[in-house]
Structure formats: C-alpha cells, structure tokens
Amino acid sequence: MATLKIQLPGKGTRVYRIHKKITSLGRSADADVSLAEPSVAESHAHIHFDGREFNLAATDREGELYVNGRKRSKQRLVHEDRIRIGNVELEFSLYDQPGADDPADTGTATELASYKKLYEFSGKLMASYELPALLDQLLDVMIQVSNADKGFLVLMESGEPVVKVARNLRRETIFDAVRQLSDSILAHVIKTRRPLIISDALRDEEFKNSLSVVNLKLTSVMCVPLIEQGNMLGVIYVGNDSVAELFAESHLEVMSVFAAQASLLVRNALLVNDLRLDNRSLQSRIEQIRFGEILGSSPRMQEVFRKVQKVAATDISVLITGETGTGKELIARELHSRSPRAKHPFITINCGAIPENLLESELFGHVRGAFTGAVGNKVGRFQSADHGTLFLDEIGEMPLALQVKILRALQEKVVVRVGDTHSETIDIRILAATNRDLDVEIKAGRFREDLYYRLNVVPLRVPPLRDRGDDIAVLARYMVGRYAPEYGSAVRGLTPNAIAAIKRHRWPGNIRELENRIKKAVVLSDKALLGPEDLDLSPDDLPAILPLAEAKEKFQREYINEVLALNAGNRTKTARDLGVDPRTIFRHLEKGEGDGSLDEHPPEVGSGAGEV
C-alpha cells in the first residue's frame, strides 16, 4: 500500500497510508494530511488514486508544489518521488512502511472526523440566523467532508429550484453556478425526494444521455434532499469532475444525517430571514400609517385623524369617547402636540382614580389649613396647566358637586383654591374623555347637561380595536418588535396562526389588553415565534367561524332589525328601503329571529302592508 513519509521541521517524521480516492494535503486541521506550517496553504494539494495510478495536483493556485526539485501543478507519482509543499518535505512510496497508520483505523477515524465536523458545525448553525453566511458555511463543510471540488445549495422558491450558494474547494463563490450542475440530476432528486450517488455520470445508464451531463462531462455526483416536516426545502449537490467513483455509501450516510439536521436549521434561518424582511416591510407600513404616536389605517381611524388635524390648532373643547383601552389619552396628547400650546404643559387627571374628598384639591389646589393634613399651599392641576392643556380623563366619574365648579372655571377662566377666597386667572384648553354614554348619564341625573355641552363642542369617537380591520395585525407585530428587545427576549415575530387568532378575538380590553398579552408572551416565551397559546388565545376563546350561509342569514336578521329601528318600526318603509316584498318583513317579525331570506324585489303596490 502506498505511503507518504513526511519530515516536519523540528517535529520528526510521520508516515501516512494513501488508501482513499482523494487524499487532501494542507495546513487546515480538516485536511487528510494536515501540515501545520505557515508556508502551506489551507488546502494546498491532493493525491488522486484511480485504482492504478497516483496523481498529485495543486488545489491552491498560489501554493508552491515541487516534485523532485521541479515546480509542478500536476504530476503522476512514482516510487520514491520526493515532494516539497512549502517548507515541508514528503517522500512517496508505492510500498508499505513501518509506522504507517492501519487503513481500517484511518478510515474509521476519517468517518468519525467527518461526523465531528458536522456536529461542531451544527452548534454554529444553532447560534446563528445570518442566512447568507450560514449557507456559505454549510456548503463549505459539505464539500470538505465529501472530498468534492464544488458544491451547490439549491432552495425551492415558489416551487422552482434556485441556486442560492455555489462554492468550490477553495471556499470561493462560483459565479456561473447554473451552468455547472446537472438540471436532470437535480430534477430527479426533487421528484423522488431520495438521495442519489452517481459514480460516473458519463457512463450512468439513466443520465449518460442527459445534455447537462454530456456538456459538463460530469463524473462523480452526490445529491441529497433537504426535507423538513414533509416540505421540500431544496437539495445539497456536490461533485468532482476529475475523479470517477469518488463517493461511497459512507459519504451518503454522512451527508444524509447532516442534511436532516441542516433542513431544520435552514428552515429556522429562512423563517427568521422572512421575519426580517417582514419587519422591514412592517416598518415601512408603520411610517405610512403613523399619526404621531398612533398607528391606524382603517377608515374609522383615518376619520379620527382628519378631525384631530382640523381642531388641533384651535382652542375648541373636545370630548373623546370610546371603550376602555382604545387609546383616548393618545388622541388627547396628539391634539395637544399639534396645537400652538405644544410647548406648554399637558396635564392629565383621572377623575375616577382619585377619592372624591381629594379630587377638588387635586383640580384646584388648596391653601395651608384648608383641611386636616393641608400643611402647606398646593397648586392644582388647573393652575399647572396654565397656557397648556388639561386632560380630564374619565370625566363621567366626576361627582355632581365638582361638575358645577369645573363649569364655572371653564366659563369664567378662573379657579379658587380650597380654603381660599382669592381667584386665579387661568389660560387653558380643556380636553375630556369618557367610556360612559353621557346622554344616559344626563337622563339619569348623574351628569350636568350644561357641562356636557361645554365639553362636547367637538366629539371624537375612538373605535374599538375589533372594528379597526387590519390595524390589529400591524399593532401586534409592532408591539412584538418593540417589547422583545426591551425585555431581552428571543421572540422575533408571530406565527400565521397567532395572527389569525388575534384577528378573530373580540378584544374587550382593546389595545391595552393586546399590549398586556404581548408583553406577557414576550417575557415568558423561549420561542422565536409566538403562537396563539402564548397569547392565551385558545380555540375555545375565539368566536366560531360560521358557514357562509349561516353567516349571511345572521347578517340579514341583524340588518333588518337595524333598518326597522331606524324607521321607527315602519315595516312598509323598511321593505322599500331594503328593496324587498313587505311580506318578508312580516315573516321576519312573526318568527322573531326571522328566516334570514329576503325576496329581492320592490314591494308591490297595494300590498296592504300597514304602518306601525
């Protein structure tokens, strides 16, 4: 058996048996014959054994290679040839020499070394989601462990194979990649989803007539699919055009084991890469729909923004209404920041959060001794907001006695501190907000009508989150992108199922509820993508998806009732407005819930439909 005897400067002699088809020589620890010398390139040369002859060839174009004192790029080796690579002397022998490694042990060690390289690289993949660098490194390792001289990583995009990375043995990018691999071999592996070894493509019964094989003069080819959860991600394709029968079953086993693991890692990297693209798109979308600190593109939010722009520059009082958690204070802040008072204070007081006996003092201030505990003079919120804006949140919670004093302050623009007789002039703009129906409160005697009209010069109704369409998905993604870095979380986005669940949930707590759930999920989850379960959105919590016919019937019932209410119960007018026979409305009322079907033709003249 052929051997190489190597004399390393100052390190003695070592003998290697040359038993593989390709034996690599270089400074890299991954080379079959590792020559740890600065004068040697990472991958300097290789010896190819075709079963009869041993041929030495340089693999690094800059590396020096001498055989028997003569510079060579290629050379057929004969017994006792002396080789110099950099400063390292080697002697080639056709016969076994004492001290040489056992070939069986060497083969086992080589295979174990391959698995070790793949295991170590897997650790690197797990720690990195930088897709371009990850794919380059993946292919470099595959080329190295298979003794190929080139490799291609092909990923499926919209059902079509696309070459994402092409590398050679010197870890350089191959720029004419598409022309250097066989489309017929690639198509075969994609179709069968099975790994493939071709020992000599030009003599292979199945592929020898393929134009790509003939034109490229292919020899050894190995192609392994990347499959994750039944999905075809792509293939790893490696080859060597100068060595026939290079790849053995052991290579295919190593490649297949690594491909199975690499598929999952590549899939995760692709997901994260898609998330980054999605986040860039999200940022662009956010800038388009941002209104100061508020995000919204739905027609109802756009109408709110339009009103804010119109009234912000005035001193008109604005009453902001809407369910709890819809962002009424954000609207108030936007009104202030867009007004001439923006450089002056924006003062907020929650009328429902302060005890009634302390609220007057908070609003108007007090003088020393005004009541037990009043040890000094205190400035109220009205005085603090002078020249600025005072936001009265939850104004519907204010006691009637205080409503009188606020009305006087707004009308006369003066306030009197508790325990004082001296009035103070103020210059403020009042904004108020409530989640209550103040018309109902007025009828119940809990809110003064005169104060209501003073505050409600311009009404602004903030829609609930469930009525804001696609805004909810944008807000959810925005919150994940905001809170994940803030809390040091690994979360990068939301799964499609999470987005669907978010859109279907009713969100009684509106934006505040959405924000709290996302904060909790970001802190507690260790996953890159949040699912419905992370947001406590189980299928039982979500509104049922009705069959189309049932949904149509439900809508028709509700719509008939709505139009009847608008027409004060007038059935004939309702039928006329809806363009249906009046008998349809009668049937609807007789059945209570109605049968949901409408006769879509105008009411007949003289139908006898009465008025209610």
Side-chain angles (χ1 to χ4, degrees):
M1 182 173 289
T3 58
L4 271 181
K5 184 166 67 175
I6 303 171
Q7 184 69 46
L8 294 171
K11 298 181 181 179
T13 302
R14 186 163 185 188
V15 179
Y16 290 86
R17 281 196 176 96
I18 307 302
H19 64 94
K20 298 172 60 179
K21 286 184 174 18
I22 293 284
T23 301
S24 58
L25 299 88
R27 188 174 75 247
S28 171
D30 298 321
D32 296 319
V33 179
S34 182
L35 308 171
E37 286 292 317
S39 59
V40 178
E42 286 280 322
S43 178
H44 202 115
H46 70 259
I47 297 174
H48 169 216
F49 176 52
D50 62 6
R52 293 179 302 167
E53 296 180 342
F54 294 87
N55 290 281
L56 176 69
T59 51
D60 188 284
R61 65 189 70 173
E62 305 296 330
E64 292 186 347
L65 183 64
Y66 292 85
V67 180
N68 300 323
R70 294 185 178 182
K71 191 172 185 179
R72 293 283 190 262
S73 59
K74 293 182 180 179
Q75 178 70 42
R76 184 174 68 85
L77 297 175
V78 299
H79 185 55
E80 294 186 342
D81 271 348
R82 301 192 67 80
I83 305 165
R84 181 162 63 83
I85 297 177
N87 295 328
V88 180
E89 297 288 341
L90 306 93
E91 182 181 331
F92 176 77
S93 174
L94 285 172
Y95 310 108
D96 210 345
Q97 296 188 45
D101 296 322
D102 180 77
D105 292 343
T106 305
T108 303
T110 301
E111 188 173 343
L112 288 173
S114 296
Y115 279 113
K116 183 180 178 182
K117 290 171 189 173
L118 298 180
Y119 175 76
E120 291 173 349
F121 185 64
S122 295
K124 295 179 182 178
L125 292 184
M126 293 292 283
S128 172
Y129 289 112
E130 294 297 329
L131 190 60
L134 183 150
L135 298 182
D136 284 352
Q137 294 173 47
L138 170 65
L139 198 53
D140 287 342
V141 171
M142 299 301 265
I143 292 171
Q144 187 181 81
V145 301
S146 64
N147 286 321
D149 60 10
K150 63 182 177 182
F152 307 88
L153 182 61
V154 180
L155 297 180
M156 304 301 292
E157 292 185 355
S158 301
E160 296 297 324
V162 177
V163 179
K164 304 301 289 187
V165 185
R167 307 278 280 178
N168 61 26
L169 185 60
R170 294 183 292 275
R171 302 189 177 188
E172 300 167 335
T173 297
I174 300 173
F175 292 103
D176 57 342
V178 176
R179 297 173 55 191
Q180 293 204 34
L181 53 73
S182 168
D183 52 1
S184 57
I185 294 174
L186 188 65
H188 178 84
V189 173
I190 291 173
K191 181 180 179 180
T192 63
R193 296 188 167 206
R194 297 179 65 83
L196 177 68
I197 287 181
I198 300 176
S199 299
D200 190 343
L202 289 171
R203 292 179 174 81
D204 187 272
E205 286 300 321
E206 185 172 355
F207 297 104
K208 66 182 180 181
N209 295 322
S210 168
L211 285 176
S212 59
V213 170
V214 173
N215 293 336
L216 292 169
K217 298 179 180 178
L218 298 179
T219 50
S220 297
V221 175
M222 184 162 52
C223 197
V224 181
L226 293 172
I227 299 175
E228 196 269 323
Q229 292 187 349
N231 297 316
M232 183 68 159
L233 299 182
V235 299
I236 296 174
Y237 176 117
V238 295
N240 192 313
D241 296 339
S242 60
V243 183
E245 300 182 359
L246 172 63
F247 303 126
E249 286 298 321
S250 60
H251 290 111
L252 190 62
E253 289 173 7
V254 172
M255 287 267 288
S256 298
V257 169
F258 188 54
Q261 187 176 15
S263 297
L264 176 60
L265 301 173
V266 169
R267 178 61 178 163
N268 286 342
L270 288 170
L271 280 173
V272 173
N273 190 63
D274 288 345
L275 278 174
R276 287 181 179 140
L277 295 176
D278 188 45
N279 285 339
R280 283 198 285 270
S281 173
L282 177 64
Q283 289 303 318
S284 174
R285 171 121 172 99
I286 285 172
E287 291 308 313
Q288 293 173 5
I289 67 172
R290 184 187 291 277
F291 186 77
E293 295 298 315
I294 311 168
L295 303 180
S297 63
S298 65
R300 293 182 65 178
M301 285 303 294
Q302 290 296 315
E303 177 62 19
V304 171
F305 297 160
R306 186 186 67 80
K307 284 188 177 181
V308 169
Q309 284 180 314
K310 285 199 168 188
V311 303
T314 70
D315 268 351
I316 290 176
S317 296
V318 178
L319 179 63
I320 307 166
T321 60
E323 295 178 11
T324 181
T326 51
K328 296 185 288 294
E329 183 173 344
L330 286 177
I331 296 294
R333 289 184 181 277
E334 204 58 40
L335 283 164
H336 172 73
S337 66
R338 293 170 182 266
S339 75
R341 298 176 179 269
K343 294 182 181 179
H344 298 285
F346 176 83
I347 303 298
T348 298
I349 184 165
N350 188 326
C351 302
I354 300 173
E356 183 177 343
N357 59 332
L358 298 178
L359 187 55
E360 183 179 0
S361 171
E362 285 293 325
L363 286 169
F364 305 119
H366 61 254
V367 295
R368 182 180 179 183
F371 50 83
T372 303
V375 295
N377 293 338
K378 179 181 177 179
V379 174
R381 303 292 178 92
F382 269 79
Q383 296 96 317
S384 297
D386 196 26
H387 300 294
T389 302
L390 178 64
F391 176 51
L392 300 173
D393 198 9
E394 304 300 347
I395 187 70
E397 309 289 334
M398 181 166 288
L400 277 170
L402 271 180
Q403 292 178 29
V404 177
K405 296 184 178 181
I406 286 182
L407 180 62
R408 177 174 177 268
L410 295 180
Q411 289 175 334
E412 301 178 10
K413 296 187 178 180
V414 296
V415 294
V416 178
R417 300 192 194 198
V418 177
D420 198 2
T421 56
H422 173 68
S423 61
E424 300 175 59
T425 303
I426 51 169
D427 174 19
I428 60 173
R429 181 188 191 176
I430 292 289
L431 303 176
T434 182
N435 60 6
R436 292 193 176 191
D437 185 338
L438 293 187
D439 287 324
V440 172
E441 297 297 300
I442 291 169
K443 290 176 182 177
R446 291 187 294 266
F447 201 85
R448 292 183 62 91
E449 189 173 13
D450 48 5
L451 177 59
Y452 172 74
Y453 288 118
R454 172 68 66 174
L455 295 174
N456 192 32
V457 179
V458 174
L460 272 178
R461 176 76 180 176
V462 184
L465 191 54
R466 59 184 171 275
D467 292 344
R468 290 179 54 178
D470 290 338
D471 281 359
I472 187 168
V474 176
L475 285 165
R477 289 191 178 105
Y478 169 76
M479 288 174 186
V480 170
R482 174 182 174 184
Y483 293 120
E486 183 177 327
Y487 296 126
S489 171
V491 173
R492 294 292 177 268
L494 297 154
T495 65
N497 285 342
I499 293 294
I502 286 170
K503 287 181 176 180
R504 290 176 60 197
H505 187 62
R506 297 295 292 170
W507 299 106
N510 291 293
I511 296 173
R512 187 177 296 120
E513 181 188 356
L514 174 65
E515 184 176 42
N516 289 342
R517 289 201 189 208
I518 286 180
K519 281 183 179 179
K520 173 189 169 186
V522 161
V523 170
L524 296 181
S525 178
D526 297 322
K527 299 182 293 187
L529 300 176
L530 296 177
E533 65 284 356
D534 298 304
L535 299 168
D536 297 327
L537 296 176
S538 69
D540 295 337
D541 296 332
L542 303 177
I545 296 178
L546 299 176
L548 186 59
E550 189 177 337
K552 179 181 177 182
E553 181 182 337
K554 181 175 182 290
F555 170 78
Q556 288 183 348
R557 286 198 306 266
E558 293 174 351
Y559 192 56
I560 290 173
N561 290 335
E562 184 179 331
V563 177
L564 272 168
L566 288 174
N567 290 330
N570 186 319
R571 304 173 191 180
T572 302
K573 187 173 187 310
T574 297
R576 188 182 302 116
D577 288 344
L578 293 175
V580 299
D581 191 300
R583 287 170 293 185
T584 300
I585 308 301
F586 280 102
R587 285 198 302 269
H588 169 77
L589 293 172
E590 287 171 0
K591 292 183 179 181
E593 291 185 351
D595 62 4
S597 60
L598 297 181
D599 300 325
E600 295 182 4
H601 54 79
E604 299 173 3
V605 178
S607 62
E611 303 291 334
V612 176

